[in-house]
Amino acid sequence: MNSKEQERVLREYLNGQDSPEGKALFDKWTQSLYDENSLPISDTEEVLSQTQQRMWAHISPKTSSPIIRLVPSWGLRLGVAASILFISVLAWLWIAKFHQPISESELSYQTIKTKAGEHATVILEDGTKVFLNGASSLRFPKELKGLTRHVYLEGEAYFEVTHNPQQPFVVSSKHLNTTVKGTTFDVHDYAQDSQANVTVLTGKVAVEIADNTKHNCLILPNQMCTYENGKAFLTQSVVADASESISWRERKVYFKRECMGLVFRKLERMYNVSFQIKNPQLLDCIWIASFENASLEEVLQSMQSSLGIQYQIKGKEVIITGICQ
């Protein structure tokens, strides 16, 4: 089938004629548009003609026939213009078919939740891996269609995103929207915490405030973007070792000059307990410590020796008395 016959079959299919042959050609054409990435920005007959020949060759069976270059004439000028118009129409149809936004009502979602002290691993349709920390949830579409791969996080998760520059990966959490095209990063955004942050291990990540998209930051490996409740801006900083942000995956924990209020919340999520703090002043104390595969008892003993507090464990409740020294 030569190019004129192919064009006729395509036109008939686009006009609504039921044609398996036309549909097959259309699918091949749209794939060629995708492979070409974009039409050349040029209006010269030679470039446009070369583009058309290259795209027809992409969808036609290979032959040993030589390529014949015709000398431009007035009639050919009209033919090229009509063909380029046809290409443009097909390009528009391709965009409409493959790149139109898909409403959430058209997607089927699934939610994975973890309890305090639990971890979970989720593998999405495109191969992206998500590792959920305790007391967290991930809502995601079963099929990653549309302009973006959009998921919703409550809590904390580490993402290993499959690279796809044509379909960015977006994580919406309580305070932040995080956008990537393929990278590894940690999102820590619990509703109970006054601070949320995103830490990058590899690649490049764009972060913006969920309800104020004018404020954003672009972070690279070993960088962190931080949001604090009540503030209308993000803070960008460098971290010594970004892998520490995902130490929770290996049951490791680092407290680097963290206030005890945040320490207790982290321990509640790690060990599935609740703390009763008898002296509220203790929540403002600062603690420095690190643990690996430690039991709750070991952590509390370290807290007692370094801060001078007292503790009592009653089932799933831990009572803390005293004040840091």
Side-chain angles (χ1 to χ4, degrees):
M1 186 186 300
N2 59 37
S3 62
K4 287 186 177 181
E5 291 171 337
Q6 289 174 324
E7 188 169 327
R8 176 185 57 78
V9 170
L10 280 169
R11 287 183 188 277
E12 291 174 351
Y13 174 68
L14 293 173
N15 286 330
Q17 203 172 88
D18 187 13
S19 168
E21 190 177 32
K23 182 181 184 306
L25 277 174
F26 179 79
D27 290 343
K28 289 182 179 180
W29 182 281
T30 55
Q31 183 60 45
S32 73
L33 282 171
Y34 178 85
D35 293 341
E36 285 288 326
N37 198 25
S38 62
L39 295 175
I41 303 174
S42 172
D43 57 358
T44 66
E45 293 164 354
E46 183 177 5
V47 172
L48 293 176
S49 180
Q50 287 175 355
T51 300
Q52 187 186 26
Q53 289 181 24
R54 188 164 63 251
M55 296 176 78
W56 280 126
H58 185 91
I59 68 173
S60 302
K62 299 295 182 182
T63 66
S64 57
S65 303
I67 297 176
I68 301 175
R69 186 179 298 278
L70 300 177
V71 177
S73 65
W74 177 248
L76 181 59
R77 288 171 188 264
L78 291 176
V80 169
S83 297
I84 296 306
L85 176 61
F86 185 54
I87 291 174
S88 300
V89 170
L90 283 174
W92 181 85
L93 288 169
W94 174 71
I95 292 170
K97 181 176 180 182
F98 294 102
H99 288 269
Q100 60 183 347
I102 296 177
S103 66
E104 294 214 357
S105 60
E106 297 179 65
L107 296 175
S108 176
Y109 280 84
Q110 183 175 348
T111 301
I112 301 294
K113 295 183 177 182
T114 57
K115 297 178 182 179
E118 291 182 342
H119 290 171
T121 301
V122 183
I123 301 179
L124 305 184
E125 181 195 30
D126 66 341
T128 292
K129 293 181 181 179
V130 185
F131 303 88
L132 274 180
N133 201 351
S136 302
S137 71
L138 181 75
R139 181 172 177 263
F140 58 95
K142 294 179 180 178
E143 294 183 274
L144 297 172
K145 299 177 180 178
L147 294 175
T148 61
R149 296 167 285 170
H150 203 151
V151 303
Y152 301 85
L153 171 69
E154 294 181 12
E156 182 170 19
Y158 167 62
F159 294 82
E160 294 181 352
V161 177
T162 299
H163 186 71
N164 184 354
Q166 278 76 40
Q167 192 184 30
F169 192 95
V170 181
V171 181
S172 289
S173 53
K174 173 69 175 178
H175 303 101
L176 304 171
N177 290 325
T178 305
T179 304
V180 305
K181 294 183 178 179
T183 183
T184 59
F185 60 100
D186 181 83
V187 177
H188 178 105
D189 195 354
Y190 286 95
Q192 305 90 338
D193 292 355
S194 60
Q195 188 180 89
N197 53 62
V198 177
T199 308
V200 178
L201 283 81
T202 64
K204 184 189 300 183
V205 173
V207 183
E208 63 184 17
I209 300 176
D211 57 0
N212 190 348
T213 57
K214 291 182 180 179
H215 295 274
N216 53 68
C217 58
L218 186 66
I219 49 178
L220 301 173
N222 288 321
Q223 291 183 348
M224 178 171 64
C225 186
T226 302
Y227 168 83
E228 292 188 30
N229 276 348
K231 295 186 178 180
F233 59 87
L234 298 170
T235 302
Q236 188 169 331
S237 59
V238 176
V239 295
D241 184 3
S243 64
E244 288 185 2
S245 68
I246 59 170
S247 59
W248 52 266
R249 288 186 57 199
E250 300 173 349
R251 305 290 176 178
K252 297 178 182 179
V253 60
Y254 297 91
F255 298 115
K256 294 188 174 182
R257 297 194 59 78
E258 293 194 36
C259 69
M260 292 304 297
L262 180 57
V263 169
F264 288 130
R265 283 196 295 275
K266 286 187 176 182
L267 295 178
E268 285 179 336
R269 291 191 283 258
M270 286 182 62
Y271 296 103
N272 192 22
V273 295
S274 62
F275 283 89
Q276 254 195 49
I277 313 301
K278 294 299 184 178
N279 189 341
Q281 292 180 352
L282 176 61
L283 299 176
D284 296 325
C285 294
I286 301 298
W287 197 35
I288 302 173
S290 62
F291 304 94
E292 182 175 353
N293 292 318
S295 67
L296 175 62
E297 186 83 30
E298 290 172 325
V299 174
L300 293 172
Q301 286 176 359
S302 173
M303 192 182 296
Q304 178 175 276
S305 62
S306 60
L307 296 178
I309 58 95
Q310 301 297 318
Y311 68 90
Q312 185 179 7
I313 301 175
K314 291 185 176 181
K316 292 290 185 180
E317 186 178 68
V318 183
I319 302 169
I320 303 292
T321 57
I323 185 64
C324 53
Q325 299 175 354

